[in-house]
Amino acid sequence: MNSLQQASSAFMHCQLFYVRDSQQMQIARLQAMIVAHKLPIVLHIELFSDKLTQKRRQQLSQQLDQKATQPILLLDDKDTLSWLSDGLSVAPEWDKLQRRVVSAGRKSELLLQAAKVTADSKAIDATAGFGHDSLILASTGAQVVMLEQQPLMALLLLAEQQRMKALPNWQKLMARLQIINTDAISYFDSMSSHSLADADKSVDVVYLDPMFPEDSYQDQKTGKGAKVGKHMQALHQLARPPTANEERQLLQSALSAVSQPSGRVIVKRPQLAPLLANQAASECWHNEAVRFDGYFAG
Ligand SMILES: C[S@@+](CC[C@H](N)C(=O)[O-])C[C@H]1O[C@@H](n2cnc3c(N)ncnc32)[C@H](O)[C@@H]1O
């Protein structure tokens, strides 16, 4: 476990740099979000008057290495909140998915072939991360509850949702996303202790994309590790892969949360990775890089 992973179990102190005095309003909104969602995050806020060049980002990042436990957040001149990880700014950047979201369908998105969600569906993305897969699920018109255990990630997601809500083309989709900072296993446990007769709680699909050891993205031909994108690289600093026991709990609790007989749990894995919790799937969908294992409730 690295220092950021340890720090994430208690209150997390984050350095937030902003670049303009006129961003006070955005900062107040971020603080309000932290309070409203009970995120265990304390922001240490500072105006950064230099230009945020790549070199300055690297220097700030090295500062992080010295302090060891304080993640750095940046509110840039476009009012995007990002996390400075190893000198690279990472943010959900949902607008970059626009083309995929607009044209998403079962032909183009393996996830949608597997999940079979429709506009009437309710899905839970239990490992939301940067929310990219949630957006693809929600592109169908489905309601998507996004669970994310890491407060820092939850803050990035909430800030991105707020930013995107201001864009007319995205408002409807944003309204279908509900972001919750919680551990998925506890969330499913609390669902099962409430009455499943409540129609509001009926869930068609639970989607799981748990962390994977960093070296497990193997190139099929060479057997060498495939390059992990900057988003995943950053996530590896915060979150660790589940233990065998956690894998079992995650899959079991997800299966107990899908209430419909036609309901399903879909698990994303690197193409050649072992099954989650070693449990055989009902059906698999795959391409060269990725595999979706489907576990059917009925
Ligand atoms: C591989 S990433 C998911 C990436 C995501 N599918 C996307 O499109 O960006 C896994 C994420 O799930 C979160 N996570 C892992 N286990 C979790 C759990 N038990 N409950 C909630 N979130 C969890 C991690 O913190 C991490 O952000």
Side-chain angles (χ1 to χ4, degrees), residues 126-133 148-150 182-184 209 211 235 239:
T127 51
F130 286 95
H132 297 166
D133 292 326
E148 173 51 54
Q149 67 181 1
Q150 294 293 334
T182 185
D183 164 54
D209 177 15
M211 295 301 290
L235 269 179

Side-chain angles (χ1 to χ4, degrees), residues 63-264:
Q63 209 173 304
L64 161 86
D65 285 344
Q66 281 154 20
K67 289 189 184 169
T69 53
Q70 274 202 2
I72 296 181
L73 294 171
L74 302 174
L75 191 59
D76 69 14
D77 50 357
K78 294 190 178 107
D79 293 335
T80 300
L81 183 72
S82 62
W83 166 33
L84 193 61
S85 166
D86 282 339
L88 291 177
S89 294
V90 285
E93 299 179 298
W94 286 349
D95 34 357
K96 290 200 175 158
L97 268 77
Q98 176 152 10
R99 198 185 292 186
R100 272 181 75 194
V101 167
V102 169
S103 62
R106 288 187 191 170
K107 271 197 183 145
S108 60
E109 295 289 343
L110 205 55
L111 169 58
L112 296 183
Q113 283 177 36
K116 298 219 169 12
V117 281
T118 66
D120 300 324
S121 305
K122 176 167 174 184
I124 298 180
D125 180 349
T127 51
F130 286 95
H132 297 166
D133 292 326
S134 295
L135 282 201
I136 299 299
L137 291 168
S139 70
T140 59
Q143 302 288 325
V144 180
V145 175
M146 301 165 65
L147 310 180
E148 173 51 54
Q149 67 181 1
Q150 294 293 334
L152 183 66
M153 293 306 300
L155 179 62
L156 289 176
L157 290 171
L158 287 161
E160 185 69 351
Q161 186 186 33
Q162 190 174 69
R163 185 178 77 88
M164 299 292 285
K165 266 184 189 164
L167 309 177
N169 289 346
W170 287 84
Q171 279 163 357
K172 282 190 182 154
L173 194 143
M174 289 302 115
R176 295 198 291 274
L177 303 177
Q178 185 192 0
I179 298 160
I180 306 177
N181 173 217
T182 185
D183 164 54
I185 299 171
S186 330
Y187 183 85
F188 292 137
D189 285 351
S190 71
M191 266 179 79
S192 64
S193 62
H194 293 92
S195 165
L196 286 176
D198 184 341
D200 255 12
K201 296 200 174 69
S202 66
V203 174
D204 303 285
V205 177
V206 172
Y207 176 60
L208 302 174
D209 177 15
M211 295 301 290
F212 235 82
E214 226 169 331
D215 58 3
S216 58
Y217 301 84
Q218 299 286 317
D219 182 285
Q220 265 182 278
K221 292 189 184 105
T222 63
K224 288 185 186 151
K227 266 214 155 199
V228 178
K230 73 169 181 177
H231 286 99
M232 280 310 296
Q233 262 177 42
L235 269 179
H236 277 287
Q237 303 212 1
L238 264 191
R240 56 166 179 77
T243 61
N245 193 33
E246 286 164 346
E247 284 195 0
R248 271 193 300 278
Q249 278 183 291
L250 194 57
L251 187 53
Q252 263 166 27
S253 61
L255 273 165
S256 64
V258 281
S259 48
Q260 315 291 333
S262 59
R264 51 185 60 197

